[in-house]
Amino acid sequence: GAGNMVAGNLKQNCWYLLYCKPRQEQRAQQHLANQGFSSFVPVLTVNKLKAGKQVKVTEPMFPRYLFLQISSEQLNLSTIRSTRGVTDFVRFGQQLAQVPNSLITTLSQQQMAQQQQEDQNQPFKPGDELTVLNGPFSGIQAVYQLADGDKRSIVLLNLLGQWVKTAMDNQQISKSQPDKS
């Protein structure tokens, strides 16, 4: 299995960070794939208001950034930099920015979790009446506004007769009238 990774093995793949042209992350990813490079652009599905309607939009978690996985012998800077959609490698001083594998794993897990949540639909719909379960606002009525990432929601809290917009952890809120669906 995967247990035979040898330390000091030059074939080990590393993740590098590329900076892309505006809104060309997908194009860069496609052109890199055509050259045999594997890359990763984590995306989020967010609800955006367009012409007064809530629409689901998938957009990069880190606009203009792309994670590129390459082994040291594939590391041909000029080839990669001249790829369509790519601006350049991200650098810290002279060093190319490297990204730990653990970060990529975390991001891809988050993305999978969010997509599963998408499949189950969002737990709340805009306008849902909620009750805050815990925390400083426990027991207060709230109205769901929109998702803030995959684990949080923007809600309006009714504080002393004033509606206050705040972001809350989804674990902290539940629908006031449980649906018996």
Side-chain angles (χ1 to χ4, degrees):
N4 53 6
M5 290 288 283
V6 184
N9 180 354
L10 288 177
K11 285 201 168 56
Q12 186 167 9
N13 287 346
C14 296
W15 288 95
Y16 292 89
L17 194 53
L18 292 182
Y19 195 54
C20 300
K21 299 192 167 78
R23 289 179 290 287
Q24 295 200 13
E25 303 89 358
Q26 303 289 324
R27 166 186 271 183
Q29 197 172 25
Q30 185 62 56
H31 284 281
L32 288 163
N34 294 346
Q35 299 171 53
F37 294 112
S38 94
S39 62
F40 177 48
V41 177
V43 293
L44 287 171
T45 306
V46 290
N47 286 318
K48 285 271 170 93
L49 272 180
K50 282 210 176 146
K53 288 198 178 63
Q54 287 271 348
V55 290
K56 283 196 189 320
V57 185
T58 301
E59 52 186 38
M61 207 181 286
F62 310 108
R64 297 194 65 178
Y65 289 98
L66 175 145
F67 299 100
L68 177 69
Q69 187 181 36
I70 35 181
S71 62
S72 38
E73 61 253 35
Q74 268 187 311
L75 189 52
N76 182 332
L77 299 190
S78 55
T79 307
I80 293 163
R81 286 165 59 180
S82 58
T83 300
R84 289 182 67 175
V86 173
T87 300
D88 204 346
F89 279 85
V90 176
R91 298 168 197 270
F92 298 123
Q94 295 301 304
Q95 288 290 312
L96 295 182
Q98 281 199 26
V99 182
N101 287 341
S102 55
L103 175 65
I104 302 292
T105 308
T106 305
L107 289 172
S108 49
Q109 283 169 349
Q110 273 183 350
Q111 187 168 312
M112 304 237 311
Q114 199 216 359
Q115 281 162 349
Q116 281 162 4
Q117 196 178 351
E118 285 298 318
D119 297 341
Q120 300 159 8
N121 277 328
Q122 285 292 325
F124 311 114
K125 294 189 291 299
D128 277 354
E129 290 184 17
L130 307 173
T131 302
V132 181
L133 302 176
N134 53 37
F137 302 116
S138 179
I140 288 176
Q141 294 298 297
V143 174
Y144 180 77
Q145 293 278 290
L146 72 163
D148 174 24
D150 57 346
K151 299 272 189 294
R152 290 161 63 83
S153 300
I154 305 280
V155 297
L156 287 177
L157 291 176
N158 191 350
L159 295 179
L160 308 177
Q162 297 272 315
W163 288 103
V164 179
K165 190 184 265 195
T166 186
M168 300 204 87
D169 197 297
N170 285 350
Q171 308 300 313
Q172 288 185 280
I173 44 185
S174 83
K175 287 195 186 165
S176 306
Q177 300 85 14
D179 287 351
K180 295 279 188 286
S181 54

